[in-house]
């Protein structure tokens, strides 16, 4: 019975807690129990905060009892990627170096979650410093995929993906610089939303690359992501990149009809570079969108290969700049696979970085004009393959061994370069019983429209996020 | 232009205090050469008006239609 509570979607938990039908404390106990049982097997958490979670749950119950509004996320159990500050707890960023760095205050997004009645269960494991798309971690254990624990979760928000997919948290917060929300969403079979750059504050979060970083939710439905975004989004003067103006009205927009939505099927962007079973799954999504009344047509993304390459020129030196001191003085304390990726950024010419920035502005304007002048959203695969084995750095793909790292980010990092939103969602299971992921990508600030389309696909049964059958 | 290994070893010593070994240097060199090739491909695409404005300039232009 207790474990059954962990099957409830976040929005349903909030509805029932707000109505006084369920106690937030009982919900918290159920999720904490599951997290304590499954977490160590999947290397989900760096730190569970039982005491803090139960305290927050009691406060929600007291508010309900006193007829005060407990907030839109009342009682919803949330996991926080451990690169986000929570007052009084270490923010390790998945590293050994920052193991003892205690946050003095909550990050603004944590404050927003708490004010909305969320019950924060603890800090989730990740790829060290979020610099890797697999979820390997030499210090806190490799994050394991609940659909098959010998497979990666994807990263860098691997703990976020496996927590939601295994029912240890109803909602998780991740970050996405090159796909770090969408890759684990795709490989773990959950819904992940990389918001428009600047829509969610990243103050109090350990950066990876300032001009590409975004923070966002992972959950078991588009509605749960929308509910989270209704709390997380909004201007924050503490974040120099924060967008000004009113954020979208996420919950109202969820009911927006798919009828008439113009969807560009970016077939030439992903189909030849994806496993056939992934491409077939995305084709099925395209058909379902058409059945729902969307107008689906093939659309090309101009210069996507060059933009992908330019993204590397942008990201690499930003990562090196953030880690410069530790990379020079404490290199031996990094995971060797992470430090080897940081080092090249020290030698990228400033001119190459600036040319990439110049190109991004013109390319993004061109995509906005040529693509989003024609369609409202782009459909693509999220990852070209299902979850690969944890033990392999390279897999046989299209007849040759290819590095897992490059494959996993090959379809996601473009949208960080563009700056628009993207929602990754499950598009069925593959031959090996592993989730296959699709994504909808949009113009800046079209976040709510994308979530509404995924919501419609869920209602039709064309998309079915569900908990992994791990230790059921 | 290819980066000679001796030059990369010198650069590594100056930044990291050690030459890192041939395998690590080769990986760095490969990435830098890839970025240099990208840069060569970008240059003819850039208009003289293109400025390194980043996202702020882009987001200001976009209608808020969420």
């Amino acid at each position: 019975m207790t474990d059954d509570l962990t099957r409830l979607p976040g929005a349903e938990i909030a509805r029932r807690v707000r109505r006084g039908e369920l106690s937030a404390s009982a919900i918290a106990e159920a999720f904490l129990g599951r997290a304590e049982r499954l977490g160590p097997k999947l290397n989900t958490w760096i730190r569970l905060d039982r005491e803090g979670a139960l305290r927050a749950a009691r406060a929600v119950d007291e508010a309900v009892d006193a007829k005060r509004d407990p907030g839109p996320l009342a009682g919803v159990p949330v996991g926080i990627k451990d690169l986000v500050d929570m007052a009084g707890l270490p923010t390790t960023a998945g590293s050994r170096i920052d193991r003892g760095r205690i946050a003095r205050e909550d990050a603004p997004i944590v404050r927003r979650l708490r004010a909305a009645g969320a019950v924060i269960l603890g800090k989730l494991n990740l790829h060290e410093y979020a610099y890797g798309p697999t979820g390997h971690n030499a210090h806190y254990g490799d994050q394991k995929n609940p659909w098959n624990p010998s497979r990666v979760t994807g990263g860098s928000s691997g703990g976020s993906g496996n927590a939601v997919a295994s029912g240890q948290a109803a909602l998780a917060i991740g970050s996405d610089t090159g796909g770090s929300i969408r890759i684990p969403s795709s490989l773990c079979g959950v819904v992940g939303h990389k918001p428009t750059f600047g829509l969610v504050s990243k103050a109090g979060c350990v950066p990876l690359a300032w001009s590409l970083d975004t923070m966002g939710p992972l959950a078991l439905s588009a509605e749960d992501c929308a509910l989270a975004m209704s709390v997380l989004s909004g201007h924050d003067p503490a974040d120099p990149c924060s967008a000004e103006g009113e954020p979208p009205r996420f919950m109202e927009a969820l009911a927006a009809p798919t009828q008439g939505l113009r969807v560009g099927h970016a077939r030439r962007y992903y189909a030849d570079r994806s496993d056939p079973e992934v491409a077939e799954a995305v084709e099925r999504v395209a058909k379902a969108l058409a059945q729902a009344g969307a107008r689906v047509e093939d659309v090309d993304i101009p210069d996507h290969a060059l933009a992908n390459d330019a993204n590397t020129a942008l990201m690499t030196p930003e990562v090196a700049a953030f880690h410069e001191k530790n990379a020079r003085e404490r290199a031996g304390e990094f995971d060797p696979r992470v430090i080897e990726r940081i080092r090249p950024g020290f030698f990228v010419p400033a001119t190459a970085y600036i040319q990439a920035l110049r190109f991004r502005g013109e390319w993004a304007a061109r995509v906005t004009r040529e693509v989003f002048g024609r369609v409202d959203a782009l459909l693509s695969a999220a990852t070209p393959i299902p979850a690969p084995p944890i033990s392999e750095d390279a897999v046989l793909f299209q007849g040759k061994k290819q590095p897992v790292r490059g494959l996993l980010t090959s379809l996601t990092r473009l949208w960080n370069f563009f700056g628009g939103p993207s929602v990754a969602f499950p598009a069925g299971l593959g031959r090996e019983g592993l989730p296959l992921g699709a994504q909808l990508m949009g113009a800046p600030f079209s976040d709510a429209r994308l979530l509404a389309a995924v919501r419609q696909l869920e209602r039709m049964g064309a998309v079915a996020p569900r908990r992994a059958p791990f230790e059921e | 232009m290819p980066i000679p290994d001796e030059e990369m070893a010198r650069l590594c010593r100056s930044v990291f205090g050690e030459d890192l070994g041939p395998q690590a240097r080769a990986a760095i060199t490969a990435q830098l050469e890839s970025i240099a090739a990208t840069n060569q491909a970008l240059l003819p695409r850039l208009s003289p008006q293109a400025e390194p404005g980043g996202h702020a300039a882009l987001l200001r232009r976009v209608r808020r239609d969420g």
Side-chain angles (χ1 to χ4, degrees):
Chain A
M1 170 60 191
T2 305
D3 223 33
D4 284 348
L5 294 175
T6 64
R7 291 188 170 278
L8 293 173
E12 183 64 16
I13 289 172
R15 273 192 287 270
R16 293 202 199 174
V17 168
R18 288 170 61 83
R19 289 199 296 251
E21 296 169 7
L22 272 178
S23 103
S25 299
I27 293 283
E29 281 286 5
F31 276 91
L32 283 167
R34 195 167 169 83
E36 285 161 351
R37 187 157 52 84
L38 301 190
K41 297 175 183 172
L42 297 172
N43 291 324
T44 304
W45 304 89
I46 288 180
R47 185 189 190 102
L48 270 170
D49 181 21
R50 169 173 269 279
E51 194 181 317
L54 292 176
R55 192 168 53 242
R58 279 195 300 274
V60 169
D61 288 335
E62 285 165 13
V64 173
D65 289 346
K67 312 284 187 215
R68 295 194 310 272
D69 184 352
L73 285 174
V76 177
V78 180
I80 305 285
K81 186 176 184 176
D82 196 17
L83 49 62
V84 182
D85 281 351
M86 284 174 60
L89 298 180
T91 306
T92 69
S95 73
R96 183 172 140 197
I97 289 171
D98 284 326
R99 173 171 275 171
R101 191 172 72 79
I102 309 292
R104 282 199 297 261
E105 56 183 25
D106 285 341
I109 57 172
V110 170
R111 285 204 297 273
R112 283 173 175 263
L113 289 167
R114 291 194 202 279
V119 171
I120 297 178
L121 302 176
K123 312 291 289 287
L124 291 159
N125 200 357
L126 64 152
H127 208 113
E128 186 179 21
Y129 288 119
Y131 204 19
T134 57
H136 285 99
N137 189 301
H139 314 297
Y140 303 95
D142 300 334
Q143 295 119 72
K144 297 178 181 175
N145 193 312
W147 289 88
N148 179 341
S150 73
R151 302 302 180 104
V152 302
T153 51
S156 63
S157 311
S160 306
N162 90 11
V164 171
S166 63
Q168 298 181 63
L171 177 69
I173 301 302
S175 62
D176 192 315
T177 306
S180 286
I181 288 173
R182 291 162 290 158
I183 294 165
S185 297
S186 175
L187 302 191
C188 294
V190 305
V191 182
H193 177 40
K194 177 209 108 58
T196 296
F197 181 83
L199 190 56
V200 174
S201 171
K202 48 197 174 70
C205 305
V206 176
L208 177 57
W210 297 278
S211 66
L212 303 164
D213 289 341
T214 52
M215 307 299 300
L218 298 88
L220 272 181
S221 72
E223 183 186 18
D224 284 1
C225 282
L227 182 61
M229 285 300 296
S230 70
V231 168
L232 294 169
S233 60
H235 180 64
D236 176 15
D239 176 0
C241 299
S242 181
E244 294 184 355
E246 285 298 310
R249 294 179 181 276
F250 283 94
M251 295 309 282
E252 290 91 329
L254 264 188
T258 305
Q259 185 75 37
L261 186 75
R262 299 170 304 166
V263 177
H265 190 172
R267 192 181 269 112
R268 279 180 288 271
Y269 172 59
Y270 76 88
D272 291 346
R273 300 190 291 149
S274 297
D275 189 294
E277 69 174 350
V278 172
E280 287 159 17
V282 181
E283 287 286 349
R284 288 194 293 275
V285 172
K287 288 196 175 97
L289 282 165
Q291 282 165 10
R295 285 183 288 160
V296 183
E297 59 174 307
D298 281 10
V299 165
D300 290 334
I301 306 173
D303 274 338
H304 60 79
L306 188 56
N308 244 333
D309 291 343
N311 185 56
T312 305
L314 201 60
M315 181 170 182
T316 318
E318 289 195 16
V319 176
F322 179 72
H323 290 289
E324 178 165 4
K325 189 168 190 298
N326 287 331
R328 286 176 187 267
E329 297 172 3
R330 303 175 70 175
E333 295 176 63
F334 286 86
D335 181 328
R337 293 166 295 189
V338 172
I339 188 69
E340 80 177 19
R341 293 191 67 200
I342 292 173
R343 281 172 169 147
F346 281 81
F347 307 114
V348 175
T351 46
Y353 176 79
I354 290 169
Q355 306 300 22
L357 269 178
R358 293 177 70 204
F359 177 74
R360 179 172 62 171
E362 294 209 323
W363 176 79
R366 185 177 166 203
V367 170
T368 301
R369 191 173 60 246
E370 294 181 11
V371 174
F372 294 111
R374 283 176 63 189
V375 297
D376 303 308
L378 283 170
L379 173 67
S380 152
T383 54
I385 52 172
I390 290 175
S391 56
E392 303 294 331
D393 289 334
V395 292
L396 192 63
F397 180 71
Q398 298 185 331
K400 60 178 181 180
K401 277 269 188 183
Q402 298 200 35
V404 165
R405 203 169 68 201
L407 277 175
L408 288 182
T409 59
S410 61
L411 299 175
T412 49
R413 60 181 191 254
L414 186 72
W415 232 239
N416 298 83
F417 192 67
F418 177 63
S422 172
V423 179
F425 53 93
L429 297 179
R431 286 183 302 276
E432 297 180 285
L434 294 166
L436 311 172
Q439 65 178 330
L440 280 173
M441 303 173 279
F445 303 108
S446 67
D447 304 60
R449 183 183 287 165
L450 304 183
L451 286 168
V454 176
R455 170 73 165 155
Q456 177 65 29
L457 290 168
E458 290 171 1
R459 286 191 158 157
M460 295 167 65
V463 164
R466 61 191 161 105
R467 199 158 95 173
F470 183 69
E471 293 207 345
E472 295 292 305
Chain B
M1 191 182 354
I3 306 168
D5 186 53
E6 310 79 63
E7 173 63 5
M8 184 50 66
R10 188 192 65 76
L11 287 169
C12 287
R13 277 193 301 274
S14 73
V15 174
F16 305 119
E18 54 175 324
D19 67 18
L20 301 181
Q23 201 175 343
R25 289 199 303 274
I28 293 172
T29 300
Q31 176 141 35
L32 293 178
E33 289 177 356
S34 170
I35 288 172
T38 300
N39 192 49
Q40 286 306 306
L42 288 181
L43 287 176
R45 307 294 190 97
L46 295 170
S47 75
Q49 290 78 31
E51 289 192 17
H55 276 103
L58 171 70
L59 298 184
R60 273 198 300 274
R61 279 204 300 268
V62 176
R63 184 171 63 87
R64 289 173 165 275
D65 60 355

